[in-house]
Amino acid sequence: MVPALVPVLLFSVAPLIYGVYLAFTDARSGRNVDAEFVGVENFVELLGDGDFWASFQIGLVWAVGVTVLQFAAGMGLALLLNQDLRLRWLARTLAMVPWAMPPVIIGLMWKLVYHPNAGILNATLRDAGLIADNIDWLNDFSVALPAIIVVGVWTGMPQTTIVLLAGLQGVPRELHEAAHVDGAGAWRRFRSVTLPQLRPVIVTITSLNFVWNMNEFALVWVLTQGGPGGRTRLPMLYAYEEAFRYGFFGYAAAMGVAIVLVVLAVLAVYLRRQLKETE
């Protein structure tokens, strides 16, 4: 196992430990700038940082919204792809396309879709008579966050679909047949047979999606860079600005540690509730 563990230790565990260490220092950018241990000073300052907590609220809205919609869309698509349809192999292949694309490419592509003057979205809505004037989707305060949530859902839906599809294929057909014989309709069979069988898969994929979405950076950075006016500035974007725009590495590391702790707390509450329902 050593050859497999060495890259993990070098590229995951070691940076994590170093990041936690930086969180307790006043590390800054610049030549010949020595980092000094400051204890919990960064965390005390973080408690009073209104901008950070505002970004954290935006991050929660983003993470929860994208995770819930990814699950709903992924479940619908998984149920469809689980049917005995013609060209099902092609549909399953096409469903994986967003997963195979780098976040930067996805961001650039959706920026073209959302372009206020030349974007296909505004053109389609105008042709359908739904809007009279162009909407600047990524720079309008009221629609910027929902617009990037749509992109996040589209980007992360494939892995959710594949995991749920694998779970659906593991549900014994005999259970559905027995429920059908008892007179249960499609919705009753889905609620009473499919969902209970998929519960472990659902808990796993929604937990992972929440963590991934809460740590999102590249996609949103390409789309909006946190604008307009910080309306889409996720916590990771704020930490990035503090570290690489203003040079406060220690303070940015404290943000990262705080984000990890809060995410773990949210996950603990969610998993505990799910385990109680299972029991």
Side-chain angles (χ1 to χ4, degrees):
M1 293 178 62
V2 173
L5 288 176
V6 168
V8 175
L9 292 174
L10 289 178
F11 301 112
S12 294
V13 178
L16 175 63
I17 295 175
Y18 185 62
V20 174
Y21 161 74
L22 285 180
F24 294 93
T25 69
D26 63 349
R28 293 163 293 168
S29 62
R31 290 186 175 183
N32 301 321
V33 178
D34 296 329
E36 296 182 1
F37 184 79
V38 295
V40 296
E41 183 177 317
N42 288 326
F43 295 95
V44 173
E45 182 179 352
L46 197 61
L47 290 175
D49 190 343
D51 290 336
F52 171 74
W53 294 110
S55 72
F56 201 88
Q57 291 176 359
I58 294 170
L60 283 178
V61 172
W62 154 269
V64 173
V66 173
T67 301
V68 170
L69 293 176
Q70 278 176 349
F71 169 72
M75 177 62 79
L77 187 55
L79 289 171
L80 179 64
L81 296 179
N82 196 43
Q83 302 300 314
D84 189 14
L85 304 174
R86 295 180 60 185
L87 299 177
R88 182 173 60 177
W89 63 272
L90 179 60
R92 289 180 176 179
T93 302
L94 293 176
M96 294 296 295
V97 170
W99 198 9
M101 299 175 64
V104 174
I105 301 300
I106 294 175
L108 294 174
M109 181 184 71
W110 276 92
K111 286 189 76 171
L112 295 176
V113 172
Y114 283 140
H115 194 281
N117 299 319
I120 189 175
L121 180 57
N122 277 336
T124 302
L125 294 177
R126 283 198 314 270
D127 293 343
L130 298 177
I131 61 173
D133 299 321
N134 290 335
I135 301 175
D136 195 349
W137 296 95
L138 299 179
N139 290 297
D140 189 308
F141 278 80
S142 60
V143 298
L145 184 57
I148 67 169
I149 286 177
V150 170
V151 181
V153 173
W154 185 86
T155 304
M157 188 174 64
Q159 64 261 32
T160 305
T161 300
I162 295 303
V163 171
L164 292 175
L165 179 59
L168 287 172
Q169 293 177 344
V171 178
R173 297 181 64 89
E174 295 80 6
L175 296 178
H176 285 282
E177 294 172 356
H180 181 69
V181 171
D182 290 340
W187 169 248
R188 183 65 181 273
R189 293 198 303 271
F190 174 74
R191 188 182 63 182
S192 302
V193 177
T194 304
L195 281 181
Q197 292 292 317
L198 287 180
R199 182 178 293 275
V201 176
I202 293 172
V203 171
T204 300
I205 191 60
T206 52
S207 299
L208 289 174
N209 281 344
F210 177 77
V211 173
W212 291 332
N213 291 326
M214 197 66 190
N215 291 315
E216 182 59 60
F217 172 80
L219 181 65
V220 180
W221 178 261
V222 173
L223 285 169
T224 64
Q225 295 188 8
R231 190 57 59 93
T232 61
R233 185 168 60 184
L234 305 184
M236 286 303 175
L237 272 70
Y238 187 51
Y240 172 84
E241 291 178 352
E242 288 293 321
F244 298 104
R245 179 173 294 178
Y246 305 116
F248 299 123
F249 294 135
Y251 189 55
M255 290 183 186
V257 173
I259 292 170
V260 170
L261 293 177
V262 175
V263 169
L264 289 177
V266 173
L267 280 179
V269 173
Y270 171 70
L271 294 174
R272 183 178 180 182
R273 180 176 299 177
Q274 293 298 322
L275 289 175
K276 281 186 176 180
E277 292 179 2
T278 302
E279 295 174 357

